[in-house]
Amino acid sequence: MAMGRAGQELMKTAFMSIYKMGHQPFVMMGEVEESSDQTIEKLPDKVLLNIFSYLTHREICRMARVCRKWRLIAYDTRLWKSVSLRPEISGLHVGSLEALLALISIRFGPSLRYIELPIELITHTVLHELSNKCPNLTHMLLDFSTAMQLHDFSEMQAFPTKLKYMVICLSEVIFMEGFMRKIYNFINGLEILHLIGTYEKVEEEEEEIYEVINVHKLKGATPNLRVINLYGINFIDDSHIDAFSSNCIQLECLAVNFCNKVTGSTLKTLFQRSRRLKCLLMNQTSLISEHVMAVEWEKVSLQELDISATDLSTECLVDMLTRIPNLRFLSAGQLNGFNDTVLKSWMEMGNPRNLIALDLEASDNLSDDALYKFLSRHGQQLSGLVLSGMPHITDQLWMSVMPILNNARILVMGTPERLGVNIHVDQLMDGIANNLPRLERLELRWDPQNLRFSDKSQKAIDILRVKCLKLRCLVLNDGRYYEIVKANFERADRNTVVRTSTSSRVSNYYLLGNYKDLVFN
């Protein structure tokens, strides 16, 4: 049986303690003192290997310095199936190309399935070695995001040929065509492609935008793509979506989040060509309502849609939602046009009967009465619900709909804005514990100053922890209540559950059919 996250952390902590103790004798539980000559070296290799598998590669490298036996375990290629060499993203630091080439030969070999390479380690020699020594490499991330200059790839003649998943983190200024031209013949088996832009780094007033990768040529080399994620790329527009759709007939999922040049002008053509398209994510694009309304929504196979922060009109939202036949996932937060009329029309003329995930974050034009009516009818079928960022939605609405949401796995509630009313969090926690046994992820975004709890709050937290056994993530704003909840879970050896909003956010994206394929970094 797979070990839970808390169990993994516990084993890791125990093993690190053993490491610090060195080879001091230990006594197994239930043994008498006569057996104290047993040491950790007596453990079978397969047990040590299993323990090592819960450590990071940095920690495994430290273990290799303990003794010869541990060095042999640390070099076992089964521990090196998935490797990140980007130290700034919690990866292993490799000081030189020679050291990396040695790692590829000694440790990686045929076991390697996934690798992340930073710009300084992406050379034709490294790629040749990966191609020759790692025949089962199927997942690769190439990070060019900090590049000011590329290595010379003119002599590159080999590249991994079994790749199914590839991530390319683009640079703002370095043109990629010289490198891409060399790999086009090797990547026709790709099923999942991520092109990650520099959205978070770009200044608001950028003088010139460079098209650093030729999407129109790339699409000809990747006819088997099922999932395409174009994230935060400032030059991506509707023509690039049209290009991919013209060649990728197996397309199931298209994500263009934070590509603000996308207006939706080629959406109609996209759905006509890509009959299998089930997931379309267009968060913070520049969709134009007229383009969206031109799509023959009643004929699409779409099940998952994200149109958050897109400024679509009320008329467009009503037109679209009442025509999509089998929508299961909707993210439509930060939309001024999403109001009571949209929700009522969707209920009366649309088909929300298959809906399992709904995100209406910061949709201030929705009343609590309209939300209550919608949730009363469809709340029981929801696995994920996000109603955060709306000051008028308080614990009163949540308490009234809690018995209806008994199948929920993900909930996000509250707003960081200071409210004029208090949130009685003990009562809320008690309601969650008694009504939501399947809950896995919960986030309370309310300002700590608005949370009111009593001396008996420990009892409510105890009930939540005992009854919601599947809860793996509980996010709170940092404050006194966060400290109380965190200490409670830690006393029960569930150290990884409680987190602050500065380091963790909860969303419905976990419920996407292609969620694992869409994860990068």
Side-chain angles (χ1 to χ4, degrees):
M1 185 171 64
M3 181 176 292
R5 180 87 177 266
Q8 294 179 18
E9 289 293 324
L10 188 60
M11 176 172 281
K12 181 175 173 179
T13 302
F15 188 54
M16 293 301 289
S17 299
I18 293 173
Y19 163 66
K20 292 174 184 176
M21 290 165 57
H23 294 147
Q24 295 178 20
F26 70 95
V27 181
M28 299 296 286
M29 189 177 295
E31 289 187 353
V32 294
E33 194 171 337
E34 285 78 2
S35 301
S36 62
D37 61 337
Q38 296 290 323
T39 70
I40 196 167
E41 286 194 342
K42 301 294 185 180
L43 288 175
D45 287 356
K46 63 180 181 181
V47 174
L48 280 174
L49 184 67
N50 186 49
I51 295 173
F52 270 59
S53 69
Y54 293 103
L55 305 177
T56 67
H57 287 123
R58 289 182 183 180
E59 292 163 342
I60 289 174
C61 289
R62 292 210 306 269
M63 298 302 168
R65 298 197 293 266
V66 171
C67 63
R68 184 176 299 174
K69 180 175 181 178
W70 285 25
R71 186 176 181 84
L72 290 174
I73 298 291
Y75 277 7
D76 193 302
T77 58
R78 286 171 289 183
L79 295 175
W80 299 85
K81 292 180 180 180
S82 179
V83 179
S84 172
L85 300 178
R86 298 191 296 163
E88 72 280 5
I89 315 288
S90 302
L92 189 66
H93 174 71
V94 176
S96 66
L97 289 173
E98 291 73 19
L100 175 56
L101 295 175
L103 280 173
I104 293 172
S105 297
I106 299 172
R107 298 194 194 180
F108 297 171
S111 293
L112 188 67
R113 301 288 191 275
Y114 176 98
I115 191 167
E116 296 182 5
L117 294 173
I119 176 60
E120 60 270 17
L121 298 180
I122 304 173
T123 69
H124 73 274
T125 305
V126 169
L127 295 173
H128 281 183
E129 283 296 288
L130 287 172
S131 175
N132 294 330
K133 302 288 178 59
C134 306
N136 297 311
L137 182 62
T138 56
H139 292 60
M140 175 180 281
L141 183 150
L142 302 175
D143 188 353
F144 295 96
S145 62
T146 58
M148 299 304 292
Q149 179 178 332
L150 289 186
H151 293 282
D152 181 12
F153 293 100
S154 58
E155 297 182 17
M156 189 166 76
Q157 302 298 326
F159 191 80
T161 58
K162 292 186 178 181
L163 291 181
K164 300 295 182 186
Y165 168 107
M166 186 164 73
V167 180
I168 299 178
C169 300
L170 303 177
S171 165
E172 290 182 87
V173 294
I174 300 299
F175 294 93
M176 302 286 299
E177 193 53 33
F179 169 75
M180 297 302 295
R181 196 180 300 118
K182 290 291 184 178
I183 71 170
Y184 283 146
N185 292 332
F186 301 98
I187 60 174
N188 57 12
L190 276 184
E191 296 180 6
I192 301 160
L193 173 66
H194 295 252
L195 298 180
I196 309 303
T198 53
Y199 168 79
E200 296 175 354
K201 301 178 184 177
V202 173
E203 299 293 333
E204 289 187 7
E205 297 183 4
E206 191 70 26
E207 292 184 3
E208 190 170 0
I209 295 175
Y210 300 102
E211 191 163 337
V212 297
I213 194 168
N214 192 325
V215 171
H216 296 276
K217 289 186 178 180
L218 175 60
K219 61 99 177 180
T222 54
N224 297 307
L225 289 177
R226 293 185 299 103
V227 178
I228 300 173
N229 180 23
L230 310 175
Y231 181 91
I233 306 176
N234 52 12
F235 64 81
I236 287 292
D237 59 26
D238 299 277
S239 68
H240 299 104
I241 295 176
D242 186 64
F244 274 121
S245 68
S246 67
N247 195 52
C248 304
I249 61 174
Q250 300 183 61
L251 192 60
E252 299 174 3
C253 175
L254 174 64
V256 289
N257 291 340
F258 302 98
C259 295
N260 55 25
K261 285 185 176 294
V262 172
T263 67
S265 62
T266 59
L267 282 181
K268 183 176 180 179
T269 306
L270 169 68
F271 283 107
Q272 288 172 344
R273 291 171 174 169
S274 305
R275 298 292 185 181
R276 299 182 181 182
L277 190 64
K278 295 181 179 180
C279 178
L280 180 62
L281 309 178
M282 310 186 80
N283 189 337
Q284 205 157 317
T285 52
S286 300
L287 293 179
I288 296 174
S289 295
E290 288 74 14
H291 295 334
V292 174
M293 293 171 70
V295 177
E296 298 175 295
W297 292 108
E298 59 276 354
K299 297 181 181 180
V300 302
S301 301
L302 193 69
Q303 296 182 4
E304 300 167 346
L305 177 65
D306 187 349
I307 49 173
S308 298
T310 53
D311 204 27
L312 293 176
S313 67
T314 297
E315 181 187 8
C316 175
L317 292 168
V318 170
D319 177 79
M320 176 174 55
L321 291 178
T322 55
R323 289 197 288 148
I324 299 177
N326 294 303
L327 200 60
R328 289 169 51 82
F329 177 107
L330 176 65
S331 184
Q334 304 174 57
L335 288 175
N336 289 330
F338 206 114
N339 53 28
D340 292 1
T341 300
V342 176
L343 212 54
K344 182 179 178 181
S345 300
W346 190 20
M347 277 197 296
E348 294 178 352
M349 297 184 291
N351 179 26
R353 290 190 297 273
N354 297 314
L355 191 72
I356 64 165
L358 180 63
D359 182 345
L360 298 174
E361 180 183 3
S363 295
D364 291 330
N365 291 327
L366 282 168
S367 68
D368 50 359
D369 182 58
L371 286 168
Y372 178 78
K373 289 178 180 177
F374 184 87
L375 294 175
S376 295
R377 184 179 298 183
H378 299 288
Q380 194 166 27
Q381 69 200 51
L382 293 180
S383 294
L385 178 61
V386 178
L387 295 180
S388 58
M390 292 183 274
H392 62 289
I393 303 300
T394 64
D395 52 334
Q396 292 184 358
L397 175 65
W398 282 104
M399 289 302 299
S400 63
V401 299
M402 205 75 73
I404 306 168
L405 302 173
N406 57 324
N407 288 310
R409 293 164 50 198
I410 298 171
L411 288 183
V412 182
M413 59 185 75
T415 176
E417 300 175 39
R418 191 70 64 85
L419 303 178
V421 297
N422 292 323
I423 305 300
H424 299 281
V425 70
D426 288 350
Q427 182 182 0
L428 189 64
M429 287 294 195
D430 192 63
I432 292 170
N434 288 307
N435 291 288
L436 307 175
R438 295 179 175 85
L439 194 65
E440 297 174 12
R441 301 177 187 274
L442 172 65
E443 181 171 358
L444 307 184
R445 294 182 183 172
W446 282 295
D447 187 294
Q449 297 297 322
N450 285 119
L451 297 181
R452 289 294 175 266
F453 50 93
S454 66
D455 295 337
K456 298 180 180 179
S457 61
Q458 287 285 1
K459 182 178 180 181
I461 301 168
D462 285 339
I463 295 172
L464 176 75
R465 178 172 46 75
V466 171
K467 291 196 173 184
C468 296
L469 294 175
K470 295 184 178 180
L471 188 65
R472 66 181 70 176
C473 179
L474 171 53
V475 179
L476 299 163
N477 277 320
D478 201 357
R480 187 179 165 211
Y481 189 70
Y482 162 77
E483 297 295 340
I484 293 172
V485 177
K486 185 174 176 63
N488 185 293
F489 274 78
E490 286 180 346
R491 283 195 297 272
D493 291 329
R494 295 177 67 180
N495 299 333
T496 63
V497 174
V498 184
R499 312 170 194 181
T500 65
S501 56
T502 55
S503 60
S504 183
R505 293 294 293 271
V506 170
S507 89
N508 279 344
Y509 265 36
Y510 302 106
L511 298 173
L512 289 173
N514 293 99
Y515 171 70
K516 291 183 179 179
D517 296 333
L518 287 167
V519 174
F520 61 93
N521 278 352

